[in-house]
């Protein structure tokens, strides 16, 4: 007897199909469907699921032409909703609780993963808080909200002349790797002290997420997977002490080295980049300005090197960044001579309209479009009313005054971070630069993912990636501004936020 | 053969999609009695799939109880290769409609035993009750599925070596690298297609003009395998104006005219069957060498008589051919219509073509005695004469068949 199989399959497979939507794919918006699984937390290869597992989605959601972006990745966040990563509490259990609350709230803004940033602090504080800030790794619970990819320590090996709001008195100079271990705590910077072979493959949260964790859930390290170390990124001034020579030791541990709060000249910055620095922390802020006779750190975004032919080097570094179809033969030939300039670092820009002029942002973007990472550098005053807020800054009592979106360190007039959200940065960038929507979204998804070495897992919509999604609608705001609005946030294949809905995670 | 010419490719595709949607909807498929669809790949049917997807999204058709069989698949490329026919079907059709994966059948070009795969495929088609409607495209050399010129018209599902021209044509999908183009494929045979209850072919563009001319205007020819369609009792070709370039003006005009006339008569040949065809109520297929009466009741599936190798009726047909559809509505005899002498319009129980009427010179003279004398069996002669003159008497048995 011939019979058709009913599509109403009784078993639930946790698969949702999002249809009638535009996906951010590279520099384009592509009309396509995306299938996500809440069981695996990943974007699934729909064709294989159909032919191999004979599965059909439990639910089909028609998005009515809205945009589906990978979840945003924030690379410079000091705190939010009244919680500062750099402020330890007497009872550290309270710290953990506040952190979890922050993660849930942060996810509602579209930020599904981030690297919590700890400013220049004393060694004690680093050792206290870093274990809590490590990568979430194998704990893949959708309703936990935003996920840490590891901590970003912004200091204290910074140049005192470019301290910004960091307390100059606690800034240090590193002369050997043990200085770093001493400052942050060896366990926070070196996995399994003594066993890490130099130059071993970078252990990113992604590659190790599959490995099982044997730690108990109650310990602060519970979120860390086997090889994960809490620190993912270090901002340092390469011109000080032996920092440049320490870069290879850091990168061998899978730690991203970012140049920032620095007086580095163009030459010093180039040397640091050649040594393995791959990021610049809030470009233009807390560094020498571009000078026409010495472009300083900004100069490394250029591609000029007298030994190279300009057009070739341009395309070379582009393809290098995208790691797509490098022309291998030529690449090898030029490897030695061009090594310095071939690697152009990624760079963070604070697009809040206060830290940088819109034209500056546009120039930087045009200098190196594939390297742009939009960051907020937001403080814990994000989401709080105007007022005077206490701030831990090494030693002593400090206060930051919030007036609208402007934050100032009390008594100095120095800009003390921002109180902007990442989607606002994207909207600012979108309207200032003339970038397309996918180009703007790339600066908070694919580019930071590549910078952190988690491409293929985060920041993309290809099959196999984590199903962290942001669903955006386009609205035309005042003066014809295009505004992207976060309508829904999906984490690990589960919808955790819906605008206008009272459902909270 | 029904032949429709539309102004452009979009209109032709829409015509086919409409036809399929009507077919499926009037079939009213159920899980126990699904509609079985044969499907092609290639650039020609893209428009049809697009239109079908639109109709599905508009809620006008459901593929929940539709079973599909694809024509062919390459051998030796991964199933998820972007150029595989699995990928094609997923990308252009299956991913957009509510068809269940268990109801989808595509030949596996990576099966360990390809011969067995082909035999199983035929068995699966039979198990599904045979194909109700086979949609097909046409190659530039007139091939249907991968049945290249010279293929046996009695062929079944099998491994097929591709012609050099086809490999060359396909290389555009493989970076123009001939080495990457699959050289072999699995394909249903010509006979497999002919066994479907209905075959609908789409031919679009000037490149198909020569093949269309061969297949429409000339006879059955194994070098233009699609021409075997002439042997099918219920086939249909839909093409655009460009594809008619090689046809005679007379041919084009003829088919356009009969379409026009048919439409004027309310006989558009898309008349859906009023009755869902169910296996339980089906009479056995009549296949005999002698036609039962001078009156043709309705077209019978006689395909296999011309292709003796494999009779078309190996598996039980669920329908006595699509006959109900071929009879114009106002000419059709339906069980809920009681025909009496008072019925105003005349009811003709035969096909629109004139009947064969026995006629002898003796009958024209008007002298009964002469007729009686020179007829071996005068009673029979008279009876036959009467019967053909009074069709109403024949209604009752035929009505029974229809129900």
């Amino acid at each position: 007897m011939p019979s058709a199989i009913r599509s109403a399959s009784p078993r639930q497979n946790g698969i949702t199909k999002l249809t009638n939507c535009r996906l951010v794919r590279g520099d384009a918006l592509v009309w396509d469907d995306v299938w996500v699984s809440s069981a695996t937390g990943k974007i699934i290869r729909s064709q294989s699921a159909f032919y191999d597992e004979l599965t059909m989605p439990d639910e089909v959601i028609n998005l009515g032409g809205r945009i589906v972006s990978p979840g945003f990745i924030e690379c410079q966040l000091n705190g939010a909703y009244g919680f500062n990563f750099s402020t330890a509490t007497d009872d550290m259990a309270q710290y953990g609780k506040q952190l979890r609350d922050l993660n849930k709230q942060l996810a509602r803004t579209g930020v599904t993963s981030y690297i919590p940033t700890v400013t220049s602090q004393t060694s004690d504080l680093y050792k206290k808080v870093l274990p809590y800030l490590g990568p979430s790794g194998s704990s893949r619970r959708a309703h936990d909200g935003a996920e840490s990819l590891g901590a970003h320590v912004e200091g204290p090996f910074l140049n005192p002349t470019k301290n910004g709001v960091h307390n100059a008195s606690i800034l240090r100079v590193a002369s050997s790797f043990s200085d770093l271990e001493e400052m942050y705590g060896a366990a926070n910077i070196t996995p399994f002290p003594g066993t890490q072979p130099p130059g071993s493959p970078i252990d990113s949260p992604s590659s190790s997420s599959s490995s099982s964790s044997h730690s108990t859930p109650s310990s602060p390290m519970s979120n860390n997977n086997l090889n994960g170390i809490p620190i993912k990124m270090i901002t340092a001034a390469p011109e000080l002490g032996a920092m440049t020579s320490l870069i290879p030791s850091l990168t061998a541990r899978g730690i991203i080295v970012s140049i920032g709060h620095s007086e580095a000249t163009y030459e010093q910055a180039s040397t640091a980049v050649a040594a393995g620095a791959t990021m610049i922390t809030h470009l233009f802020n807390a560094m020498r300005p571009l000078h026409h006779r010495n472009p300083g750190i900004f100069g490394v975004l250029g591609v000029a090197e007298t030994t190279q032919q300009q057009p070739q080097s341009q395309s070379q570094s582009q393809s290098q960044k995208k790691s797509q179809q490098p022309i291998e033969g030529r690449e090898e030939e030029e490897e030695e001579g061009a090594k310095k300039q071939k690697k152009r670092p990624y760079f963070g820009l604070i697009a809040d309209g206060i830290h940088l002029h819109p034209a500056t942002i546009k120039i930087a973007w045009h200098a190196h479009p594939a390297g742009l990472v939009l960051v907020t550098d937001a403080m814990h005053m994000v989401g709080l009313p105007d007022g005077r807020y206490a701030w831990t800054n090494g030693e002593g009592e400090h206060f930051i005054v919030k007036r609208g979106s402007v934050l100032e360190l009390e008594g100095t007039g120095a800009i003390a971070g921002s109180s902007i959200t990442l989607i606002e940065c994207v909207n600012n960038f979108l309207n200032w630069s003339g970038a397309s929507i996918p180009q703007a979204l790339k600066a908070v998804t694919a580019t930071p993912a590549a910078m952190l070495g988690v491409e293929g897992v985060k920041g993309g919509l290809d099959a196999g990636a984590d199903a962290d999604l942001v669903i955006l609608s386009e609205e035309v705001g005042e003066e014809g501004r295009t505004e992207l609005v976060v309508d829904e946030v999906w984490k690990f294949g589960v919808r955790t936020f819906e605008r206008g809905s009272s459902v909270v995670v | 053969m029904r032949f429709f010419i539309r102004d452009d490719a979009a209109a032709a595709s829409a015509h086919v999609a409409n036809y399929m949607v009507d077919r499926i909807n009037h079939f009213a498929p159920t899980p126990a009695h699904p509609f079985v669809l044969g499907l092609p790949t290639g650039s020609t049917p893209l428009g049809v799939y697009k239109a079908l997807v639109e109709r599905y999204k508009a809620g006008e058709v459901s593929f929940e109880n539709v079973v599909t069989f694809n024509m062919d698949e390459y051998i030796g490329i991964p199933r998820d290769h972007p150029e595989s026919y699995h990928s094609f079907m997923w990308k252009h059709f299956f991913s957009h409609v509510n068809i269940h994966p268990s109801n989808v059948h595509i030949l596996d070009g990576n099966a360990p035993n390809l011969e067995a795969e082909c035999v199983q495929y035929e068995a699966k088609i039979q198990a599904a009750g045979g194909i109700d409607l086979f949609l097909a495209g046409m190659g530039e050399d007139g091939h249907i599925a991968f049945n290249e010129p010279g293929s046996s018209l009695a062929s079944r599902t099998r491994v097929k070596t591709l012609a050099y021209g086809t490999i060359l044509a396909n290389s555009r999908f493989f970076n123009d690298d001939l080495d990457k183009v699959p050289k072999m494929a699995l394909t249903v045979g010509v006979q497999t297609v002919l066994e479907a209850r209905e075959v609908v072919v789409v031919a679009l563009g000037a490149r198909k003009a020569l093949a269309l001319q061969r297949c429409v205007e000339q006879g059955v020819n194994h070098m233009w395998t699609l021409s075997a369609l002439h042997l099918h009792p219920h086939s249909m070709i839909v093409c655009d104006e460009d594809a008619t370039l090689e046809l005679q003006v007379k041919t084009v005009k003829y088919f356009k005219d009969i379409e026009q006339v048919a439409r004027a008569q309310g006989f558009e040949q898309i008349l859906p069957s009023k009755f869902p065809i169910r296996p339980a109520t089906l009479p056995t297929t009549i296949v005999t060498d002698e036609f039962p009466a001078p009156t043709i009741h309705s077209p019978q599936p006689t395909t296999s008589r011309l292709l003796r190798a494999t009779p078309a009726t190996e598996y039980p047909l669920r329908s006595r051919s699509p006959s109900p559809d071929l009879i114009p509505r106002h000419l059709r005899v339906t069980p809920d219509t009681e025909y009496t002498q008072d019925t105003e319009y005349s009811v003709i129980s035969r096909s629109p073509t004139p009947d064969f009427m026995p006629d002898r010179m003796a009958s024209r003279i008007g002298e009964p005695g002469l007729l009686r004398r020179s007829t071996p069996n005068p009673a029979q002669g008279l009876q036959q004469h009467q019967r053909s003159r009074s069709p109403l008497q024949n209604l009752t048995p035929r009505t029974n068949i229809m129900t």
Side-chain angles (χ1 to χ4, degrees), chain B residues 66-357:
Chain B
V66 171
V67 170
T68 66
F69 286 90
N70 263 82
M71 284 187 154
D72 40 22
E73 175 59 289
Y74 288 121
I75 293 174
I77 61 171
R79 189 199 62 196
D80 291 343
H81 187 285
E83 294 303 330
S84 80
Y85 290 165
H86 278 84
S87 298
F88 177 97
M89 289 309 296
W90 174 247
K91 188 174 167 197
H92 296 291
F93 190 51
F94 296 150
S95 64
H96 306 297
V97 298
N98 64 337
I99 193 158
H100 195 279
S102 316
N103 290 338
V104 166
H105 303 87
I106 306 181
L107 284 155
D108 178 5
N110 295 302
N113 184 341
L114 294 170
E115 294 291 343
E117 170 72 13
C118 295
V119 172
Q120 282 167 15
Y121 202 66
E122 291 273 342
K124 280 184 205 162
I125 293 175
Q126 295 209 10
I131 291 169
D132 289 303
L133 189 154
F134 218 128
L135 178 67
M138 180 180 66
E140 284 175 50
D141 54 7
H143 69 240
I144 185 165
F146 266 132
N147 295 292
E148 309 255 39
S151 293
S152 162
L153 299 186
S155 54
R156 298 200 152 274
T157 306
R158 67 205 185 289
V159 178
K160 192 80 183 76
T161 314
L162 303 189
Y164 182 68
T166 307
I167 295 172
L168 217 53
N170 287 347
S171 64
R172 68 182 190 274
F173 300 119
F174 295 87
N175 286 335
D176 289 324
D177 185 350
L178 279 186
D179 293 338
K180 286 185 187 152
V181 186
K183 307 293 187 300
M184 308 234 280
L186 295 178
T187 178
V188 297
V190 177
Q191 186 61 37
T192 318
V193 176
L194 290 182
E195 279 175 11
R197 292 184 188 89
E198 188 171 5
V199 182
V200 177
V201 175
V202 196
L204 304 176
R207 288 188 300 126
K208 305 290 172 76
L210 182 65
L212 194 69
Q213 188 269 334
R214 298 286 174 152
C215 294
V216 172
E217 290 185 345
Q218 303 205 355
V220 174
N221 187 336
H222 61 290
M223 296 310 285
W224 306 84
T225 52
L226 190 109
S227 64
L229 223 55
H230 289 298
L231 304 177
H232 195 280
H234 199 42
S235 64
M236 175 165 123
I237 296 181
V238 182
C239 74
D240 58 2
E241 282 287 351
D242 288 353
T244 66
L245 282 177
E246 296 280 350
L247 291 176
Q248 291 190 23
V249 173
K250 184 175 79 174
T251 311
V252 173
K253 197 163 178 337
Y254 167 74
F255 282 110
K256 283 189 168 174
D257 283 350
I258 59 168
E259 192 194 340
Q260 205 175 0
V261 171
R263 190 179 295 142
Q265 299 291 311
F267 178 61
E268 286 190 58
Q269 297 184 313
I270 318 177
L271 296 174
S273 166
K274 185 173 177 182
F275 309 103
I277 306 161
R278 296 186 192 284
T281 60
L282 286 178
T284 48
T285 311
I286 307 157
V287 182
T288 54
D289 281 322
E290 51 177 325
F291 287 95
T295 304
I296 299 169
H297 293 214
S298 58
Q300 297 295 325
T302 53
T303 319
S304 61
R305 313 219 57 76
L306 297 158
L307 291 170
R308 279 280 183 182
T310 43
T313 49
E314 273 187 350
Y315 53 87
L317 284 173
R318 289 181 298 172
S319 131
R320 300 182 315 113
S321 87
S323 55
D325 296 358
L326 287 179
I327 300 171
R329 188 179 293 277
H330 66 274
L331 299 182
R332 209 182 306 156
V333 181
T334 53
D336 51 345
T337 315
E338 269 299 309
Y339 291 107
T340 63
Q341 296 294 342
D342 302 330
T343 309
E344 274 184 27
Y345 47 87
S346 70
V347 175
I348 309 165
S349 67
R350 54 177 170 78
S351 64
T353 40
D355 281 349
F356 167 73
M357 300 200 182

Side-chain angles (χ1 to χ4, degrees), chain A residues 1-9 11 17 19-20 31-33 35 45-57 60 62, chain B residues 30-34 57 64-65 67 79-80 84-87 89-90 94-104 106 127-129:
Chain A
M1 190 70 174
S3 67
I5 310 293
R6 296 206 71 90
S7 60
S9 162
R11 70 196 162 89
K17 169 180 161 184
T19 189
N20 192 14
W31 286 95
D32 202 354
D33 299 340
W35 290 39
R45 198 174 293 282
S46 52
Q47 187 179 333
S48 308
F50 184 82
Y51 287 128
D52 286 335
E53 283 120 55
L54 307 180
T55 48
M56 290 185 79
V60 177
N62 185 336
Chain B
T30 62
H33 187 45
K57 288 189 171 161
E64 182 167 0
N65 295 314
V67 170
R79 189 199 62 196
D80 291 343
S84 80
Y85 290 165
H86 278 84
S87 298
M89 289 309 296
W90 174 247
F94 296 150
S95 64
H96 306 297
V97 298
N98 64 337
I99 193 158
H100 195 279
S102 316
N103 290 338
V104 166
I106 306 181

